[in-house]
Amino acid sequence: LLVPRALLRGTPEIAHALGRNQRRLVTPFDVHATLLHLLSYPAPPPLPDWSAYRSRMRPRSLLQDITPFLRFSSVFVVKPMY
């Protein structure tokens, strides 16, 4: 994710979150949440209600710190080759 340096300098919390999320498991839903967050910034992204789904995974914006203990491959169906 390429972010303008001026944005990173002006918002250290975003720079910190992006740095921490570099090595975290992310999904296309997280990318979508990030795009929604960029459109609504500085407000948090308006995300749909996921309570009806059985999965414990909820999409998170990459501009916010993603909790690692809910992000492991056994939660998702990830083939070993990936």
Side-chain angles (χ1 to χ4, degrees), residues 21-67:
N21 292 335
Q22 281 184 0
R23 303 233 184 259
R24 302 246 166 101
L25 180 63
V26 298
T27 68
F29 294 111
D30 297 322
V31 175
H32 181 256
T34 303
L35 294 174
L36 290 175
H37 195 177
L38 287 170
L39 289 173
S40 67
Y41 189 80
L47 298 176
D49 180 22
W50 285 77
S51 60
Y53 297 96
R54 293 183 341 179
S55 174
R56 295 183 301 168
M57 204 297 285
R58 302 289 184 262
R60 294 288 308 264
S61 168
L62 299 176
L63 305 181
Q64 300 169 331
D65 197 26
I66 293 177
T67 309

